[in-house]
């Protein structure tokens, strides 16, 4: 494949994945409305519809569309099989994953209907406020996949597929922008496999999928701007509907992305595109919030006075004290964002804890160990990210020089140079607008110091690098290479740290479960589960482990932990 054919194929490949999950979300919501619980057949029907749309898109854009469709099928099968095997090999040992994420997924799979039933606080205590009020898309995906494959770990598959879709669609955009294929592939890989996505990839945390969806959205907007093809808006709408139902902050981030693109289109007099995108976005927001997202957005508004409850509203819970060190607690979000980026990677939080600034490119061995799980609170984009970001800012110098040349009329004796200056000016303005938009979107988050809450910050050096590569100067090329190499090393070491640690922990967890199975045959094990009750009971049941549930923690005498990263205690 070459040129337009390749970029179209990559776009359709990524879009098929997005459409599969958009249809699944819509179908599951409709079934819940008619009091039909989440079921395995929804995934298969959604896959059929997504593949049918992919086929017709290939027929429209690719000459040898039947061969392209077979290739698309092969890639999707291999990708799904590999991702499923990976998801099943690792065990979600994250706190939130084992607490409310898996609890909600299992409840949905067992028939809970959030459109008609609220979880009782008497039954699930503090977990009820998250399960009742948070967006449900990730749990619906998890429940559907759990029903299909019969393994709770299989539900993590959707996040891996979103990352793959982000890679394909971003690569399509970069090739459409005429970057060399190896540069485009390397940049797309580094963008998608970032520290937030990596450190959540084997858990049910949703910040990694949120980032992937943001990359998909922004890439689609770029493709729409370049190709001026209304068909792309179908995937834009599907992406928005999913995004709005992944996490509350996605509403703000998606809205900012849309507004920025409308602004860029407006200043370039693309009135028709502005109207098309505005209409598609408004429709998608209506469907995503008022229909698919009726629970939580509408139900939260009527029951608790705010669509983002319990994170906003009259009785909102302030998460900042639980996520930042003492020296961040009373500082504004812009300051702690800057401070955290250039801080030592660490997981400190709460009273009498402090984040520490460090010299860029300096690394302590202990920093890498902060990325064994999802709990990194400071320097969460990696020990080398601050240095890479500083170096990438050097590219702003030639950017402003191009702007100066354009507005001063320097080099305008020839028509060719005038066009070249205008092209550079357009790239510079676009890059600066996007960079400022990213900073604003992050700075309005009160917990901006935690990378997983503002994953879009990872994009800043890449925006500047892609701009720098347009200048085609030796100095800019050196700076861009240094930034990309640094970020590659940063992500590679984090990936190795995370994967090796979590593989060992998954293996240890299964050994512990086997040992518990043997020891429980003579006498049931008395256990106090706490917030991990439903997911841990599912694990024990799947291994045939005999146990007795203890509801009162005070009656649990030994309080011995039985599993890796699990708060369940043995009481006898």
């Amino acid at each position: 494949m070459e040129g337009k054919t390749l970029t179209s194929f990559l776009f359709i490949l990524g879009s098929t994945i997005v459409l599969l999950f958009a249809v699944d979300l819509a179908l599951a919501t409709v079934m819940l409305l008619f009091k039909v619980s989440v079921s395995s057949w929804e995934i298969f029907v959604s896959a059929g519809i997504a593949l049918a749309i992919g086929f017709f898109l290939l027929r429209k854009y690719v000459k040898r569309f039947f061969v392209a469709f077979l290739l698309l099928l092969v890639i999707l099968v291999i990708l799904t099989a590999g991702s499923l095997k990976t998801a099943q090999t690792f065990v979600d040992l994250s706190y939130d994953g084992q607490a409310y994420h898996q609890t909600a997924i299992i409840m949905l799979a067992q028939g809970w209907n959030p459109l008609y039933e609220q979880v009782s606080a008497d039954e699930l205590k503090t977990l009820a406020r998250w399960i009742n009020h948070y967006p449900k898309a990730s749990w619906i995906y998890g429940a559907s996949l759990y029903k299909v494959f019969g393994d709770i770990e299989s539900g993590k598959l959707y996040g891996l597929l979103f990352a793959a879709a982000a890679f394909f669609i971003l690569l399509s955009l970069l090739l459409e922008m005429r970057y060399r294929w190896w540069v485009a592939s390397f940049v797309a890989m580094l963008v998608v496999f970032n520290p937030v996505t990596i450190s959540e990839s084997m858990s049910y945390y949703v910040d990694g999928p949120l980032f992937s969806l943001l990359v998909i959205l922004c890439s689609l907007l770029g493709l729409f701007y370049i190709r001026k093809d209304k068909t792309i808006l179908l995937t834009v709408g599907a992406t928005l509907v999913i995004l709005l139902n992944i996490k509350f902050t996605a509403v703000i981030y998606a809205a900012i992305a849309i507004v920025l693109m409308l602004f860029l289109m407006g200043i370039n007099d693309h009135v028709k595109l502005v109207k098309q995108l505005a209409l598609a976005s408004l429709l998608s927001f209506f469907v995503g919030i008022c229909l698919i997202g009726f629970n939580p957005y509408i139900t939260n508004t009527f029951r608790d006075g705010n669509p983002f409850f319990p994170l906003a509203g009259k009785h909102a819970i302030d998460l900042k004290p639980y996520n930042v060190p003492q020296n961040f607690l009373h500082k504004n979000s812009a300051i702690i964002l800057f401070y955290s980026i250039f801080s030592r990677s660490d997981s400190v939080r709460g009273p009498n804890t402090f984040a520490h600034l460090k010299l860029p490119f300096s690394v302590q061995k202990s920093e890498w160990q902060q990325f064994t799980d999802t709990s990194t609170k400071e320097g969460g984009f990696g020990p080398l990210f601050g240095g890479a970001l500083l170096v990438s800012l050097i590219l702003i110098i030639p950017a402003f020089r191009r702007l100066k040349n354009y507005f001063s009329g320097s080099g305008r004796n020839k028509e060719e140079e005038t066009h070249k200056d205008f092209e550079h000016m357009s790239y510079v303005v676009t890059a600066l607008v996007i960079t400022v938009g990213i900073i604003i979107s992050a700075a309005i988050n009160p917990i901006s110091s935690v990378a997983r809450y503002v994953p879009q910050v990872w994009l800043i050096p890449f925006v500047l690098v892609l701009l720098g590569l347009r200048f085609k100067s030796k100095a800019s090329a050196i700076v861009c290479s240094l930034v990309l190499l640094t970020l590659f090393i940063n992500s590679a070491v984090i990936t190795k740290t995370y994967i090796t640690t979590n593989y060992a922990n998954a293996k240890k967890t299964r050994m512990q479960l086997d040992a518990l199975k043997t020891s429980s045959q003579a006498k049931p094990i008395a256990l106090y589960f706490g917030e991990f009750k439903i997911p841990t009971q599912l694990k024990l049941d799947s291994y045939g482990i005999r146990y007795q549930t203890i509801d009162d923690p005070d009656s649990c005498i030994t309080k011995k932990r039985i599993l890796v990263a699990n708060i369940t205690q043995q009481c006898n």
Side-chain angles (χ1 to χ4, degrees):
M1 293 185 187
E2 295 181 0
K4 292 287 184 181
T5 300
L6 178 58
T7 59
S8 295
F9 179 80
L10 290 168
F11 157 69
I12 295 167
L13 179 58
S15 294
T16 303
I17 296 172
V18 173
L19 291 168
L20 187 158
F21 287 105
V23 174
D24 181 60
L25 178 60
L27 191 56
T29 303
V30 171
M31 291 298 101
L32 288 171
L33 180 63
F34 286 100
K35 299 186 178 181
V36 178
S37 59
V38 174
S39 178
S40 58
W41 64 265
E42 294 163 357
I43 281 284
F44 295 106
V45 172
S46 302
I49 294 172
L51 287 172
I53 296 173
F55 179 81
F56 285 111
L57 289 176
L58 286 170
R59 190 172 183 177
K60 177 179 179 180
Y61 293 107
V62 180
K63 289 183 179 179
R64 300 179 64 185
F65 65 90
F66 190 75
V67 174
F69 182 69
L70 291 178
L71 179 60
L72 181 142
L73 276 178
V74 170
I75 292 174
L76 288 178
V77 168
I78 293 173
L79 182 62
T80 302
S83 298
L84 178 62
K85 179 64 177 177
T86 302
Q88 292 176 333
T89 299
F90 291 82
V91 178
D92 179 7
L93 300 175
S94 65
Y95 192 96
D96 288 357
Q98 295 183 87
Y100 66 87
H101 285 301
Q102 287 190 42
T103 298
I105 289 167
I106 295 167
M107 290 177 63
L108 278 168
Q110 293 177 347
W112 173 54
N113 191 328
L115 296 183
Y116 297 99
E117 307 166 51
Q118 276 204 306
V119 174
S120 169
D122 294 333
E123 180 183 359
L124 293 179
K125 302 185 179 359
T126 57
L127 296 185
R129 65 190 175 195
W130 314 123
I131 294 174
N132 284 328
H133 299 289
Y134 271 7
K136 309 290 190 292
S138 64
W139 303 338
I140 288 174
Y141 298 147
S144 297
L145 293 165
Y146 169 40
K147 297 275 281 189
V148 171
F149 300 106
D151 179 5
I152 188 62
E153 302 300 335
S154 302
K156 299 175 301 201
L157 169 65
Y158 84 92
L160 299 175
L161 292 180
F162 278 152
F167 173 80
F168 295 137
I169 297 177
L170 176 57
L171 180 56
S172 175
L173 171 65
L174 296 178
L175 292 175
E176 191 76 39
M177 295 172 69
R178 301 189 302 279
Y179 288 101
R180 294 179 181 178
W181 70 267
W182 60 269
V183 173
S185 300
F186 189 58
V187 169
M189 180 192 70
L190 286 180
V191 167
V192 172
F193 295 103
N194 59 86
V196 173
T197 300
I198 291 165
S199 62
E200 294 188 3
S201 58
M202 298 304 130
S203 78
Y204 273 108
Y205 274 57
V206 298
D207 311 283
L210 180 150
F211 177 79
S212 296
L213 288 163
L214 282 175
V215 171
I216 291 170
L217 175 63
C218 294
S219 301
L220 289 169
L221 293 176
L223 283 170
F224 177 64
Y225 182 75
I226 294 171
R227 300 180 71 160
K228 301 173 178 58
D229 184 351
K230 288 191 296 184
T231 307
I232 296 171
L233 293 177
L234 172 66
T235 313
V236 170
T239 305
L240 281 172
V241 169
I242 299 172
L243 251 178
L244 300 175
N245 288 281
I246 282 286
K247 192 168 183 172
F248 284 145
T249 50
V251 177
I252 308 301
Y253 297 159
I256 290 175
I258 296 294
V259 169
L260 287 178
M261 181 52 70
L262 290 173
F263 172 76
L264 290 171
M265 289 176 175
I267 62 175
N268 286 285
D269 294 325
H270 295 299
V271 178
K272 185 178 179 180
L273 295 182
V274 169
K275 291 179 179 179
Q276 291 174 348
L277 178 59
L279 181 60
S281 300
L282 288 173
L283 179 60
S284 301
F285 268 78
F286 174 77
V287 172
I289 291 176
C290 298
L291 300 181
I292 303 298
F294 187 87
N295 182 320
Y297 294 106
I298 306 304
T299 53
N300 283 354
T301 302
F302 280 104
R303 290 172 183 167
D304 301 284
N306 193 294
F308 302 113
F309 184 84
L311 302 184
K314 187 175 181 181
H315 301 290
I317 299 168
D318 184 6
L319 296 179
K320 189 173 182 179
Y322 305 100
N323 284 281
V324 302
Q326 182 175 306
N327 58 329
F328 281 7
L329 189 56
H330 301 294
K331 291 183 172 65
N332 68 54
S333 57
I335 291 175
I336 64 175
L337 171 63
F338 170 85
Y339 205 114
S340 180
I341 288 173
F342 298 103
S343 286
R344 186 172 66 207
S345 294
D346 210 337
S347 302
V348 296
R349 57 178 178 166
N352 302 315
T353 61
F354 300 89
H356 300 279
L357 288 172
K358 66 170 189 174
L359 290 173
F361 294 105
S362 65
V363 180
Q364 297 181 16
K365 187 177 180 181
S366 61
E367 291 186 76
W368 300 116
Q369 295 307 309
Q370 303 306 315
F371 295 91
T372 57
D373 56 29
T374 61
S375 63
T376 311
K377 301 299 181 185
E378 302 83 35
F381 291 108
L384 296 175
F385 179 76
L389 179 61
L390 279 179
V391 174
S392 71
L393 293 176
I394 295 173
L395 296 168
I396 292 179
I397 297 173
F400 278 111
R401 187 179 299 132
R402 262 77 177 175
L403 280 179
K404 181 182 177 182
N405 288 344
Y406 179 78
F407 288 111
S408 66
S410 173
R412 292 201 177 186
N413 295 326
K414 298 180 181 179
E415 184 178 344
E416 182 181 349
E417 291 181 352
T418 302
H419 174 74
K420 188 175 181 180
D421 279 342
F422 177 78
E423 187 178 26
H424 280 150
M425 188 273 293
S426 180
Y427 289 135
V428 169
V429 170
T430 299
L432 293 180
V433 168
I434 292 173
T435 301
V436 171
I438 292 172
I439 294 171
I440 291 173
S441 70
I444 61 177
N445 191 315
I447 320 177
S448 60
S449 57
V450 181
R452 73 182 185 89
Y453 290 142
V454 289
Q456 65 272 27
V457 171
W458 177 256
L459 295 173
I460 294 176
F462 293 98
V463 172
L464 296 176
V465 163
L466 290 173
L467 173 64
L469 291 173
R470 288 290 183 184
F471 299 149
K472 300 186 183 303
S473 71
K474 187 175 181 180
S476 294
I478 292 172
V479 172
C480 292
S481 299
L482 178 59
V483 172
L484 293 177
L485 178 61
T486 302
L487 292 174
F488 172 76
I489 294 170
N490 185 74
S491 291
V493 178
I494 288 173
T495 301
K496 179 180 180 297
T497 302
Y498 179 80
I499 294 298
T500 54
T501 301
N502 282 270
Y503 181 79
N505 285 339
K507 187 176 180 180
K508 184 177 180 179
T509 297
R510 292 187 172 98
M511 291 175 62
Q512 290 173 326
L513 289 168
D514 286 330
L516 288 170
K517 179 180 180 179
T518 302
S519 64
S520 70
Q521 300 310 306
K523 180 183 178 181
I525 306 169
L527 299 171
Y528 172 71
F529 294 98
E531 291 185 326
F532 290 9
K533 182 178 180 179
I534 291 178
T536 305
Q537 286 182 337
L538 181 69
K539 286 186 179 70
L540 299 180
D541 291 341
S542 68
Y543 272 76
I545 298 169
R546 300 171 65 221
Y547 60 90
Q548 173 191 355
T549 301
I550 304 298
D551 294 320
D552 182 10
D554 294 330
S555 64
C556 189
I557 300 173
T558 62
K559 297 185 178 181
K560 175 186 175 182
R561 299 286 180 92
I562 62 168
L563 295 170
V564 176
N566 191 304
I567 64 173
T568 300
Q569 300 172 356
Q570 184 174 344
C571 302
N572 60 354

